Each structure stands twice: as structure tokens, then as C-alpha cells.
Amino acid sequence: MQLRVKGVNKWFAVKGERVQVLRDVDLEVRQGEFLSLVGPSGCGKSTLLNMLAGLDQPDEGVLELEGQPLRAAGDGKVMVFQEAALFPWLTVQQNVEFGLQMASVPAAQRSERALEHLRLVHLSRYASAYPHELSGGMKQRVAIARALVMEPHLLLMDEPFGALDEQTRSVLQDELQRIWLQTRKTVVFVTHSLAEAVLLSDRVALFSARPGRILKVFEVEASHPRSDGDPNLLLLRNEIKSLLSDEVTALQQKEMDSDWTAEKGDLPTDMHRYLGSNI
């Protein structure tokens, strides 16, 4: 599976003005790779992920899967969001089976596949539990199992660990590395954390401030499984942070321009927050 983003531009209406969110984005996602999208808040990385999921469309440019236009639905795409969004009235196993049920998979096969994927995320003992009985990290593992049980070609993840405490997040990062090594799914992962991106990814695509464009795509050459204390990963994080710092300097200069307003789409405050707390 080869996914290509070509010349994508996107605008939104904000307070009566047309604001460009993405500008001339070109990106290729390789089969079986783990690719992270990072950048300051409002740079359009989640917007691009929504386009890959078929939930939104570009105003200009094309998205292609194996040389064909990406369809709004189907094409073996599944998305995992920041919130697990489990059905509270269904058990863990029933939540994992839900997509299969909608696809008219026979009950016996649904059960077998659901239990197989609950074992993959180490939650088979909780198959009969309800979401309110689970921790936040466990709920996210159920959401990952629910996505993987559909056997997607492309797994899209929008800050899936962003709402978790640091210890739980670290555990799930290790779990995701293990699952990805076992399944070799193609993953596109949005995160605000540079540390998380370099820990998990084969490549990291760095976006500029709004309108988002790709400043650089970094190769992460460390082998899996990885440790957050790997000095090579720290060097790469510092390289990415340095490029972001250059972007901040440019935005500071832009702020001094009397014609600049925040409503025109640049977000230097968010960029400072990003650099200060997400390295």
C-alpha cells in the first residue's frame, strides 16, 4: 500500500475570514511504516489525518492510494482518536466486535477475532468488563484492539495518548511499539510530543505554523524496540526542536509587522507552548 498526498491546500472560515490551514503539502506514506506528524497547535496535522480517513476533503490537491484517488470510505482505513469513545452499554468484547458486526461478520468469527485482538493488547481477561470498570489506558487499548480487529491497511491515530498521565502514556508507547512490530501495519500518528514521535516512528514529518506546510521529514534510524533514553533519539529531538526554534524566530519577526494579526492564521503563542512543554 502506497499513500500519496500531492499539493494539498485547505481553507476554513474563521470569524468571517477565509484562513488557510494547509499549504502545498506533499507527502508519501510507505507501506508498513510508522510515520508521525508533529507541529504546533493549529498547523493542520489533524486536518490532514481527517483527510486520510476520508472525513474531510482538500480544497486543492489530491490524495492517492496505490495511484487511485482515496475514497471517502473504505480503502481499509481505521482511525483511533484521543478519547477511546467506547460504547458504555457494551462489554469490552462487544465493543471490539462492533465494527465486525456492522460488516455482517458471523457471530462465531466475530468472537474469535475479538478475543484474538484482546489478547494482542493484553486485555482478554477483561472481555466481559464494561468501559466504566477500566482505567484510561485500558480503554485506549480496547480502542486499538477495536481498530486492529478490522484488519486495516492504514491505521490513523490522532493523539491517542494525549489525555493520559505520563506513566500510562509511557506504558502504552511500549505496547504500541510491540503491536506495530508484530502486525507491521502502516501507521500515521499525530502527536504534540517530539519525544513520543522519535520513540515510535520510522519517519517524522515536521509541520510549520499555520498555514501548515512540511518543513522537513526526518528519518529515525534507531532499531526497534526503542528506549526513550537512547542518546541518538535525544540528538534527533534536539535537531527537530532547533528547526522549530528557527520557525519561532521567524514568527516573532512577523509579529512586529503591523499588518500581522492572529486571525490571519499564525499562532506564535502556541508555538512557544509547543517548544516549552513538548520536547
Side-chain angles (χ1 to χ4, degrees):
M1 186 213 73
Q2 188 176 52
L3 180 63
R4 287 180 176 169
V5 179
K6 297 181 177 180
V8 163
N9 289 278
K10 183 68 177 179
W11 287 265
F12 286 127
V14 178
K15 297 182 179 180
E17 294 190 22
R18 194 167 182 249
V19 174
Q20 188 168 14
V21 179
L22 292 170
R23 175 180 291 166
D24 298 329
V25 175
D26 293 292
L27 187 64
E28 181 177 311
V29 184
R30 304 165 184 165
Q31 182 172 355
E33 83 166 328
F34 197 119
L35 173 71
S36 284
L37 311 180
V38 299
S41 296
C43 70
K45 54 190 183 294
S46 290
T47 298
L48 180 60
L49 200 73
N50 287 335
M51 291 180 189
L52 296 179
L55 302 176
D56 203 349
Q57 297 296 320
D59 293 316
E60 295 176 355
V62 295
L63 307 173
E64 292 183 347
L65 183 65
E66 296 292 356
Q68 300 298 318
L70 192 69
R71 297 199 304 269
D75 285 333
K77 307 181 297 289
V78 178
M79 194 154 177
V80 177
F81 298 93
Q82 185 172 356
E83 299 294 335
L86 304 179
F87 298 116
W89 59 89
L90 298 181
T91 67
V92 164
Q93 181 172 339
Q94 289 168 340
N95 267 282
V96 176
E97 288 186 19
F98 184 79
L100 298 174
Q101 184 176 0
M102 294 298 98
S104 301
V105 175
Q109 188 177 348
R110 290 201 309 266
S111 178
E112 180 181 355
R113 286 172 59 178
L115 287 172
E116 175 188 349
H117 284 80
L118 283 173
R119 285 192 290 271
L120 182 67
V121 298
H122 300 317
L123 285 176
S124 57
R125 290 187 302 157
Y126 296 88
S128 299
Y130 286 87
H132 73 271
E133 300 175 290
L134 306 180
S135 67
M138 293 167 75
K139 289 176 184 178
Q140 280 302 82
R141 283 152 67 188
V142 174
I144 292 170
R146 182 176 60 184
L148 292 174
V149 79
M150 301 305 295
E151 298 181 350
H153 299 302
L154 179 62
L155 181 60
L156 305 167
M157 308 186 80
D158 192 3
E159 297 191 63
F161 308 145
L164 303 175
D165 64 85
E166 194 63 30
Q167 183 175 357
T168 302
R169 184 171 188 155
S170 179
V171 170
L172 287 190
Q173 288 167 353
D174 290 341
E175 283 289 288
L176 184 57
Q177 283 192 81
R178 178 186 59 81
I179 291 168
W180 178 77
L181 285 170
Q182 187 170 337
T183 64
R184 290 294 182 177
K185 297 294 183 186
T186 303
V187 178
V188 181
F189 187 94
V190 166
T191 178
H192 274 97
S193 169
L194 299 184
E196 184 170 72
V198 300
L199 177 68
L200 297 174
S201 309
D202 293 313
R203 293 188 300 150
V204 178
L206 173 63
F207 280 69
S208 71
R210 187 187 297 174
R213 65 192 190 284
I214 295 179
L215 295 175
K216 186 174 180 179
V217 178
F218 297 83
E219 298 277 351
V220 188
E221 297 180 353
S223 60
H224 286 278
R226 296 172 182 159
S227 167
D228 196 36
D230 186 331
N232 292 322
L233 298 185
L234 180 58
L235 286 172
L236 181 57
R237 283 163 55 185
N238 287 338
E239 183 181 352
I240 298 172
K241 184 184 176 184
S242 176
L243 186 54
L244 275 171
S245 295
D246 292 342
E247 183 81 353
V248 168
T249 300
L251 284 172
Q252 287 174 330
Q253 183 62 41
K254 196 170 185 179
E255 281 189 270
M256 297 172 65
D257 186 339
S258 60
D259 292 332
W260 183 89
T261 67
E263 292 182 358
K264 290 182 180 178
D266 293 309
L267 299 169
T269 301
D270 279 355
M271 179 71 88
H272 282 297
R273 179 178 62 79
Y274 183 86
L275 283 170
S277 57
N278 293 283
I279 61 171

